[in-house]
Amino acid sequence: MTTGVKAVDQLIEKFGILSSPGQDKFQRLTHLFGGDKRADSLPFCMYQKVMGAPVSRRFTVHHFYLPYKNCKLASFMFNEKGELIEQVYFTKMSRMVNVCRKLQRILLEEKDLREYASQGMLQQGKRQKDREWAQTEQFAA
């Protein structure tokens, strides 16, 4: 999927989309728990959600940056189920807002793929256990 802005497409090609905590020039992915002090640097709407949540809740925050302009592009907050609960676009230009929306779609598709793959692995493991059980002496007798 292309975003419509060549520079952003090149950043995605070069860095990809992070799926585990880390950072590079284009993005940063962080896990936060309810009441986490690191939420101070988040946009206020995200800060409120983190600070108002119990410590047992986990949030994933994905920030995107434009290194060639040295500015923030967008931030997305997901709950522990992988559902998007908050988003902030740091631009008002309609072209860049469309880029943010496409990044959001990419993130949601990636989370769906990971969830589907993990469920597929669970199903595969379950089928393997069923096969092993079917081959036991107890079942064969």
Side-chain angles (χ1 to χ4, degrees), residues 92-138:
K92 292 182 182 179
M93 294 172 34
S94 64
R95 185 174 177 209
M96 295 309 284
V97 167
N98 288 334
V99 167
C100 294
R101 288 182 182 145
K102 288 184 181 179
L103 284 171
Q104 179 178 332
R105 265 188 257 139
I106 290 170
L107 286 175
L108 290 171
E109 287 172 6
E110 183 179 296
K111 294 207 181 291
D112 289 343
L113 286 174
R114 261 190 267 127
E115 182 179 312
Y116 178 74
S118 68
Q119 287 177 354
M121 295 301 284
L122 289 174
Q123 291 294 329
Q124 187 178 13
K126 192 175 181 181
R127 277 182 262 154
Q128 179 65 28
K129 286 180 183 177
D130 288 345
R131 273 190 232 114
E132 290 170 1
W133 180 76
Q135 292 172 355
T136 61
E137 292 175 24
Q138 199 175 26

Side-chain angles (χ1 to χ4, degrees):
M1 173 189 290
T2 60
T3 61
V5 175
K6 189 176 180 180
V8 176
D9 292 340
Q10 289 173 343
L11 288 168
I12 292 172
E13 269 185 47
K14 182 176 181 181
F15 297 108
I17 301 292
L18 290 174
S19 58
S20 59
Q23 71 180 47
D24 53 42
K25 290 182 180 181
F26 175 53
Q27 62 197 315
R28 184 177 74 218
L29 180 71
T30 323
H31 291 306
L32 299 174
F33 293 91
D36 199 324
K37 296 291 182 195
R38 296 177 295 165
D40 290 345
S41 62
L42 295 177
F44 187 69
C45 57
M46 293 181 184
Y47 171 81
Q48 283 184 308
K49 293 222 188 255
V50 172
M51 296 312 279
V55 178
S56 61
R57 297 264 329 261
R58 187 183 89 164
F59 301 95
T60 302
V61 183
H62 206 134
H63 301 282
F64 288 97
Y65 304 94
L66 293 175
Y68 63 92
K69 286 190 174 182
N70 200 22
C71 66
K72 294 178 184 178
L73 180 60
S75 292
F76 303 97
M77 178 184 269
F78 298 91
N79 63 12
E80 53 272 306
K81 295 177 185 174
E83 300 166 338
L84 181 68
I85 56 173
E86 201 67 59
Q87 80 217 14
V88 176
Y89 301 154
F90 295 100
T91 182
K92 292 182 182 179
M93 294 172 34
S94 64
R95 185 174 177 209
M96 295 309 284
V97 167
N98 288 334
V99 167
C100 294
R101 288 182 182 145
K102 288 184 181 179
L103 284 171
Q104 179 178 332
R105 265 188 257 139
I106 290 170
L107 286 175
L108 290 171
E109 287 172 6
E110 183 179 296
K111 294 207 181 291
D112 289 343
L113 286 174
R114 261 190 267 127
E115 182 179 312
Y116 178 74
S118 68
Q119 287 177 354
M121 295 301 284
L122 289 174
Q123 291 294 329
Q124 187 178 13
K126 192 175 181 181
R127 277 182 262 154
Q128 179 65 28
K129 286 180 183 177
D130 288 345
R131 273 190 232 114
E132 290 170 1
W133 180 76
Q135 292 172 355
T136 61
E137 292 175 24
Q138 199 175 26
F139 183 74

